[in-house]
């Protein structure tokens, strides 16, 4: 055992669907504006500009099914996103090899303190305060590629209290999964345990305490999260 001067932080790990095994998490990357209709609703040009990324913290991932409404915001939005879990990585990964890095896929939310994110955008400051807060990424288990294959299409639906808020299809992603892996690997060294949240379709909006959010993606089942 290393002689740590304080207790070592616990490794964040996500359940693997249908097993008692765990997927350990290293980093969390999030792609922005990856669906044209969402780019438009946020006031941006949907043209295929290079993708951009921000990060959440590994321990922002939360498979508990509960999302505590965070402090210092009165406009917390849901963004329903498929995530990609990597089993290998590297730098400058060629497009044609990118899918070989994928261990599996899952359902997640990129919960956002939209009011704080908006202030930071206006001031030209980083987004962490709006994006990378405690438990800001409620998520479901990892579904291994060995069980579900690779997902390049499939309906994504998100409801709040039974009312449809977000609808899209994975085939509407501006930057597809192999492209986001290959592009990210030009700027960062990807590694086993990395998670990529793949962006959200249009229809983002606020949640309130007591709301029940349900996200479904064809082939990945559903994820239910209650706002506490
Ligand atoms: Mn997002």
């Amino acid at each position: 055992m290393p002689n740590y001067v304080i207790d070592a932080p616990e490794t964040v790990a996500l359940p693997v669907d249908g097993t008692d095994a765990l997927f350990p998490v290293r980093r969390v990357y999030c792609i922005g504006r990856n669906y044209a209709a969402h780019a438009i609703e946020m006031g941006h040009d949907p043209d295929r500009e290079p993708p951009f990324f921000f990060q959440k913290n590994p321990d922002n991932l939360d498979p508990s099914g509960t999302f505590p409404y965070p402090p210092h915001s009165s406009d917390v939005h849901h963004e329903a996103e498929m995530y990609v879990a990597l089993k290998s990585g590297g730098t400058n990964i060629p497009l044609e090899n990118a899918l070989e890095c994928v261990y599996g896929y899952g359902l997640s939310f990129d919960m956002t303190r939209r009011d704080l994110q908006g202030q930071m955008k206006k001031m030209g400051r980083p987004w962490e305060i709006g994006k990378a807060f405690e438990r800001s990424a409620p998520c479901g288990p990892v579904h291994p590629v060995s069980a579900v294959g690779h997902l390049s299409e499939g309906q994504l639906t998100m409801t709040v209290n039974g009312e449809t808020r977000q609808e899209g299809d994975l085939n509407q992603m501006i930057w597809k999964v192999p492209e986001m892996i290959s592009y990210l690997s030009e700027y960062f060294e990807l590694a086993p345990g990395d998670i990529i949240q793949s962006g959200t379709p249009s229809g983002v909006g606020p949640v309130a305490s007591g709301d029940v959010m349900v996200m479904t993606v064809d082939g990945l089942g559903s994820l239910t999260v209650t706002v506490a």
Side-chain angles (χ1 to χ4, degrees), residues 30-32 38 54 79 81 110 112 131 199-200:
C30 311
I31 184 167
H38 174 60
F54 56 92
E79 297 189 2
E81 314 202 359
D110 164 18
T112 302
K131 286 289 195 180
T200 200

